[in-house]
Amino acid sequence: MSISLMLLKKDGTKKVFPVRNKATILGRRPDCDLCIPLQVISRRHCQLSVEGQSLKIRDLRSSNGTFLNSQKVGDEIEAKPGDRLQVGPLTFTIQIDGQPARPSVPDDELPQPSPDISGASEEEMNRSGTFIT
């Protein structure tokens, strides 16, 4: 099973982040599998786990929450191809085995689940070495 997180930026460009491990941590810490260096992201924000032929998402007690299709993730929830994973101000389209081929709408056209997670500046979102850029 091949899993990727697709991010459609405001300028229309797409960035794809392959999920290579059975357990992948997203967060602000540099040692996370996918580092998102924004203050509104918790140090260890959420975890993606591949279990058999399914992808599970679990919030790691983040300050601002993790959302799947605008619904707050509790303990654990199964994700499907095309689902939207919202972590802070970023929304990823979940791609499983190549489906869907691309995200359908830019990140800034999606409703944000909570007004308290949109405080990141464009500079913060673009400053990050080999992480989210």
Side-chain angles (χ1 to χ4, degrees), residues 13-73:
T13 60
K14 177 177 76 169
K15 184 121 178 161
V16 178
F17 301 93
V19 176
R20 294 186 175 102
N21 303 327
K22 286 195 182 261
T24 300
I25 304 288
L26 282 70
R28 193 176 72 228
R29 286 177 38 167
D31 62 342
C32 287
D33 299 302
L34 182 54
C35 179
I36 307 169
L38 303 174
Q39 283 301 103
V40 295
I41 306 294
S42 294
R43 288 177 187 90
R44 290 173 46 88
H45 199 95
C46 66
Q47 177 176 321
L48 282 61
S49 300
V50 178
E51 298 177 12
Q53 290 299 308
S54 67
L55 174 66
K56 306 279 177 109
I57 300 186
R58 181 168 53 109
D59 185 73
L60 298 176
R61 298 186 308 201
S62 64
S63 298
N64 293 313
T66 302
F67 297 81
L68 188 66
N69 300 323
S70 298
Q71 300 297 312
K72 192 167 188 167
V73 174

